[in-house]
Amino acid sequence: MRKFLDDNFLLETKSAQELYHAFAKDLPIIDYHCHLPPKDILNNRVFNSITEAWLEGDHYKWRAMRTNGVDERYCTGDASDQEKFMKWAETVPYTMRNPLYHWTHLELQRYFGIEDILGPDTAEDIYIETNRQLANMSTNAIFEKMKVEVVCTTDDPIDSLEYHQTWTEEGHDLILAPTFRADKVLFTADLKVWNTYIDQLARAAGVEINTYHQLLEALSNRHDFFHSLGCRLSDNGLETLSVEDYTGSEITGIFTKLRGGAVVPEVEAEKYRSAILVELAHMNHAKGWTQQYHLGALRNNNTRMMNKLGLDTGFDSIGDFPLAQQMSKFFDRLDSTDQLAKTIIYNLNPADNALFATMIGNFNDGSTAGKMQFGSGWWFLDQKDGIEQQINALSNMGLLSRFVGMLTDSRSFLSFPRHEYFRRVLCNIFGNDIEKGELPNDLNWIGQIVQQISYYNAKEYFQFHSINTKTTVS
């Protein structure tokens, strides 16, 4: 019987073990999509407790705790750090076969050297020991320990990027880059909220926004500013891509109505979203950025809890939206004028894995290896089964060898072992194929492919090494 989380965790064969330990284990990390607060990175935050590091903003854990019958007071409420941790410790034994069980114990081992199983009987000792070690474990120390080379945060066009700018001016070795996420420009359902946001965008860009042309000018100004601070990716979180046909005069008129507070028919709102997505994509292409589209989440399902706690608090699920025709039309519209940037599409519904894996092949044009990417298992799919399904779909219908690999998509500084988790799953898949005679026993070549997927493809694809982090930005 194997020991839980031993050195060969998830590695079922000798070939898998050799691939992981000889080729993947010690590679650095490029985390090209996460939600870490840049302020905490610049300030080199030291957490007061494991509760702060683990439960602060982590809706994955909150969701599990609620399912286990834990009152909201211990998730997002006013309970003490120790009380919240104890409730999480009570929940952990019930998370078996959920990725949270693996992630929790991987993090205890990798950061704290703790091999005990977290539960009510061990909770107090683990709370004391992790807090003791955290007192000497700043965010920068975490990056160094985990060999993190690049961190891309997720940022709104109105963000000042003051923390990124100071970080750049200080000349750190770690690349801290923003990501341009302009979702709030698109969502016009609540016109009061939307118009307030457009006012904020106007102030950030230093222009008036009374016309559609001025809106594009403001977005372009912010896009330029983000680029000056090392931004090389954009992102949008959408149910599906908007692809209505439109004319320039139509969008000018629709924007004028929206800016004046007039409710427009949904078809007009969809035309507006379509136009904005195309204009943003043109900006991305002009600067050589990579654009990311996270598609398929059904968000904020629980109105009562959203009104009580706000957005992103653990009440979202997988959606079932039509995606094939929308993606095809959107990418074809950009490709028809040769303005389709490098693109990563992330799927949340595993039923659409084959759809995504084949869609990218329609728009690879030989200009860049793996120009179009089927992104790693995301959100509900960044667990063993979801990772395997994404890898298998991409293998069967594309080139897994050109895949840019894993990311954390996390708000937690302790989530970097997810890269290790992915690399172990990847090596196990290749190793099993070797053992079954489905791939040749060429560990050197397959080991190189593992390294490419785990690290080098992302390094080449995003070109972060071309960013001069030691140049003062004005």
Side-chain angles (χ1 to χ4, degrees):
M1 181 181 294
R2 290 265 299 272
K3 177 185 175 184
F4 175 60
L5 278 185
D6 64 7
D7 286 345
N8 292 322
F9 171 60
L10 298 180
L11 305 172
E12 298 172 341
T13 64
K14 292 294 184 184
S15 296
Q17 293 162 17
E18 186 167 350
L19 286 171
Y20 177 71
H21 292 293
F23 294 95
K25 180 179 179 180
D26 296 323
L27 289 172
I29 288 173
I30 293 175
D31 203 47
Y32 56 89
H33 176 72
C34 74
H35 298 275
L36 296 178
K39 180 179 179 180
D40 288 352
I41 297 173
L42 178 67
N43 292 340
N44 199 19
R45 179 180 177 181
V46 176
F47 295 97
N48 294 315
S49 71
I50 186 64
T51 306
E52 283 188 0
W54 258 1
L55 291 168
E56 187 180 275
D58 192 340
H59 56 78
Y60 287 77
K61 293 187 178 72
W62 298 341
R63 190 178 176 102
M65 292 167 72
R66 293 172 188 136
T67 303
N68 201 44
V70 174
D71 186 81
E72 192 64 33
R73 177 171 177 262
Y74 300 99
C75 300
T76 62
D78 61 358
S80 69
D81 280 3
Q82 185 166 2
E83 289 174 319
K84 289 180 177 179
F85 178 81
M86 294 303 169
K87 288 297 183 182
W88 171 238
E90 290 176 15
T91 299
V92 167
Y94 294 94
T95 66
M96 283 190 174
R97 303 204 82 244
N98 183 290
L100 286 166
Y101 194 81
H102 283 163
W103 294 345
T104 295
H105 291 99
L106 272 175
E107 291 170 19
L108 285 175
Q109 281 195 17
R110 297 300 175 264
Y111 292 104
F112 308 104
I114 295 174
E115 297 190 1
D116 293 336
I117 302 300
L118 179 58
D121 294 341
T122 60
E124 185 173 355
D125 287 344
I126 289 176
Y127 185 73
I128 292 170
E129 178 59 18
T130 52
N131 289 348
R132 183 188 70 80
Q133 292 192 43
L134 279 170
N136 299 302
M137 192 184 297
S138 66
T139 56
N140 288 349
I142 290 170
F143 292 144
E144 184 175 353
K145 180 179 182 65
M146 301 305 292
K147 299 182 180 178
V148 181
E149 290 186 349
V150 179
V151 171
C152 293
T153 58
T154 302
D155 310 278
D156 192 281
I158 70 172
D159 289 345
S160 69
L161 302 187
E162 59 188 293
Y163 306 112
H164 298 83
Q165 182 157 357
T166 301
W167 182 269
T168 301
E169 291 169 350
E170 290 177 353
H172 297 271
D173 290 331
L174 175 97
I175 293 174
L176 173 63
T179 298
F180 193 83
R181 185 156 177 165
D183 288 356
K184 292 181 181 178
V185 177
L186 300 167
F187 301 142
T188 60
D190 187 327
L191 279 176
K192 182 177 180 181
V193 170
W194 180 82
N195 269 300
T196 297
Y197 176 79
I198 298 300
D199 290 339
Q200 293 172 320
L201 177 62
R203 288 193 292 272
V207 298
E208 290 187 357
I209 303 180
N210 297 313
T211 66
Y212 179 61
H213 175 77
Q214 289 173 330
L215 172 65
L216 297 183
E217 180 185 0
L219 288 171
S220 180
N221 286 353
R222 298 308 293 169
H223 204 272
D224 290 344
F225 179 61
F226 272 58
H227 188 82
S228 74
L229 286 171
C231 180
R232 297 297 180 267
L233 294 99
S234 71
D235 184 33
N236 286 108
L238 306 166
E239 292 182 352
T240 185
L241 289 165
S242 299
V243 292
E244 288 289 329
D245 294 326
Y246 59 86
T247 65
S249 60
E250 279 184 304
I251 304 305
T252 296
I254 292 168
F255 180 82
T256 298
K257 287 188 281 187
L258 291 170
R259 195 68 172 119
V263 177
V264 301
E266 177 56 25
V267 66
E268 291 190 0
E270 187 72 0
K271 287 185 176 188
Y272 164 77
R273 288 191 290 272
S274 300
I276 293 296
L277 284 172
V278 167
E279 293 296 336
L280 291 173
H282 288 170
M283 295 179 199
N284 296 335
H285 179 267
K287 289 190 176 70
W289 286 12
T290 298
Q291 55 198 14
Q292 302 172 96
Y293 299 101
H294 286 81
L295 302 171
L298 186 62
R299 299 176 187 269
N300 308 311
N301 294 273
N302 190 322
T303 303
R304 177 177 62 86
M305 295 305 287
M306 185 182 70
N307 291 337
K308 180 179 179 180
L309 302 175
L311 306 175
D312 300 322
T313 52
F315 299 95
D316 310 303
S317 65
I318 293 170
D320 184 15
F321 304 104
L323 291 168
Q325 290 182 335
Q326 283 82 352
M327 282 197 291
S328 177
K329 184 173 181 179
F330 181 72
F331 295 141
D332 190 54
R333 176 181 282 168
L334 299 174
D335 187 73
S336 66
T337 57
D338 197 19
Q339 290 177 287
L340 178 57
K342 291 183 291 186
T343 301
I344 307 175
I345 49 176
Y346 301 90
N347 174 36
L348 199 57
N349 190 333
D352 292 328
N353 279 349
L355 187 165
F356 276 59
T358 55
M359 184 60 66
I360 62 174
N362 296 330
F363 298 99
N364 275 313
D365 56 13
S367 60
T368 300
K371 173 182 174 179
M372 302 293 291
Q373 292 276 332
F374 176 19
S376 62
W378 164 50
W379 201 342
F380 295 109
L381 304 183
D382 60 355
Q383 26 73 9
K384 181 175 177 287
D385 187 53
I387 292 169
E388 289 175 341
Q389 288 187 44
Q390 187 269 348
I391 287 175
N392 286 330
L394 181 55
S395 299
N396 287 329
M397 301 168 192
L399 292 183
L400 175 64
S401 55
R402 291 302 185 181
F403 179 36
V404 293
M406 191 57 173
L407 43 85
T408 61
D409 189 28
S410 176
R411 292 166 175 79
S412 171
F413 282 89
L414 299 183
S415 64
F416 291 108
R418 294 183 194 181
H419 285 264
E420 174 190 338
Y421 196 75
F422 168 84
R423 292 170 183 179
R424 287 178 178 270
V425 172
L426 177 69
C427 290
N428 192 57
I429 290 173
F430 275 113
N432 284 345
D433 285 351
I434 292 171
E435 298 279 339
K436 290 184 291 187
E438 295 181 7
L439 288 177
N441 187 20
D442 187 347
L443 290 175
N444 284 330
W445 174 243
I446 294 175
Q448 289 180 50
I449 291 177
V450 165
Q451 290 182 324
Q452 293 287 336
I453 297 168
S454 299
Y455 171 70
Y456 289 104
N457 283 347
K459 186 170 185 177
E460 179 63 25
Y461 187 80
F462 299 112
Q463 294 287 306
F464 290 122
H465 54 277
S466 67
I467 300 172
N468 184 358
T469 61
K470 299 184 186 298
T471 300
T472 299
V473 179
S474 60

